[in-house]
Amino acid sequence: MAEAFVESDLTPTDVLIKLEGAKHVSLLTGTEDDSWKKIIALNPLDTLCVEEDELANDKLEKFIEINNLKGRISIGYVSYDYGYRLRGVAKTKPSVLALPNIFFCSYDEYVEQKDDGYRVVYKNPDFLEDFKAILEDRSEKPVSKKISFDTTMDKSSYGKLFNRTKEYIKKGHIYQLNLTHNLEAYSDQSPRLTFADLANRNMAKMMSYFEGSDFEILSISP
């Protein structure tokens, strides 16, 4: 592996929307105090996909171990639904998202944002030159579109669940519950641009963007 430092004032989200043609892009932002790094990785050399009915602790551990030995970084997610599978708990409702329980990508080449630029880790010198070209490209940013979300649950139904939750707490069945529901929206806008727009509006402490096989995860933590 080789390393180089390139000066730039572009943010990771600025870079994200310039990565035309890149596949399985991952972006992480956070603080060193929380053991997070500001990383953008793309074009993985290996991927791991675990579907809903598969128990794959050993497979995930081996995937990360093998790629670590090759000097790569692995980025991905383990779903909440996998917790049901892991603990042998029956789900009362199927997931409406139909995503893999586990999806990881392993990257040879990536960039890490520093105070005044980017640390570039690469094997192929073309990666370094291509990244420099991205940073030098000062073409106008695309304009994001307004996206309107609709709730999947009416107020009355949510109120009933809220009251049931309070009863569970009073009776000691639970002490905390995250009562959520899905919001839906339809848009032809690029997920990368959507994430960049959300990130720039919220400026949360920890954020991540991840591209799977046919889906994207946009995560902005408060």
Side-chain angles (χ1 to χ4, degrees):
M1 289 286 192
E3 292 188 17
F5 181 80
V6 183
E7 291 186 0
S8 175
D9 60 353
L10 292 184
T11 67
T13 52
D14 290 334
V15 174
L16 178 66
I17 59 179
K18 294 177 178 289
L19 296 177
E20 295 183 11
K23 297 179 180 180
H24 290 305
V25 174
S26 293
L27 181 153
L28 305 175
T29 73
T31 65
E32 292 185 1
D33 291 340
D34 297 302
S35 300
W36 278 56
K37 295 181 178 181
K38 298 177 181 180
I39 285 179
I40 303 173
L42 55 148
N43 300 329
L45 295 183
D46 197 6
T47 60
L48 172 67
C49 179
V50 175
E51 299 298 343
E52 186 172 355
D53 59 347
E54 190 176 355
L55 192 61
N57 292 23
D58 293 341
K59 186 180 290 187
L60 175 58
E61 185 176 342
K62 185 176 292 185
F63 175 86
I64 294 175
E65 181 181 352
I66 290 174
N67 284 292
N68 279 352
L69 290 173
K70 294 179 180 179
R72 301 171 183 168
I73 62 169
S74 297
I75 300 173
Y77 73 88
V78 178
S79 71
Y80 281 109
D81 292 311
Y82 189 69
Y84 288 105
R85 185 76 178 83
L86 190 63
R87 298 296 182 182
V89 177
K91 292 197 297 184
T92 57
K93 292 183 179 180
S95 171
V96 297
L97 298 177
L99 296 179
N101 273 344
I102 297 173
F103 200 101
F104 268 74
C105 295
S106 182
Y107 303 90
D108 249 347
E109 299 171 316
Y110 60 94
V111 300
E112 179 185 357
Q113 187 190 31
K114 296 295 186 179
D115 289 339
D116 52 357
Y118 287 88
R119 167 179 168 254
V120 185
V121 179
Y122 63 96
K123 278 190 174 180
N124 187 341
D126 289 343
F127 180 84
L128 175 60
E129 296 307 315
D130 290 344
F131 185 68
K132 286 180 178 178
I134 288 172
L135 297 181
E136 292 167 1
D137 175 18
R138 295 295 174 156
S139 56
E140 190 173 344
K141 296 180 183 178
V143 178
S144 61
K145 302 176 183 178
K146 182 179 179 180
I147 300 177
S148 298
F149 287 85
D150 295 318
T151 180
T152 57
M153 181 181 296
D154 59 57
K155 186 175 181 179
S156 175
S157 298
Y158 189 85
K160 290 177 182 178
L161 290 175
F162 182 79
N163 290 331
R164 188 186 304 175
T165 298
K166 289 197 296 182
E167 288 301 314
Y168 283 158
I169 293 173
K170 288 178 182 178
K171 293 177 180 179
H173 298 317
I174 59 175
Y175 66 90
Q176 182 178 7
L177 187 143
N178 186 13
L179 184 60
T180 65
H181 62 285
N182 290 333
L183 300 177
E184 293 182 344
Y186 296 89
S187 174
D188 59 358
Q189 180 169 275
S190 159
R192 297 177 188 175
L193 179 56
T194 301
F195 176 80
D197 184 48
L198 288 171
N200 291 334
R201 289 172 182 269
N202 286 277
M203 297 300 292
K205 187 176 182 180
M206 290 179 165
M207 300 182 288
S208 60
Y209 173 84
F210 181 77
E211 294 178 350
S213 52
D214 57 357
F215 64 90
E216 296 82 26
I217 294 177
L218 289 65
S219 175
I220 298 181
S221 171

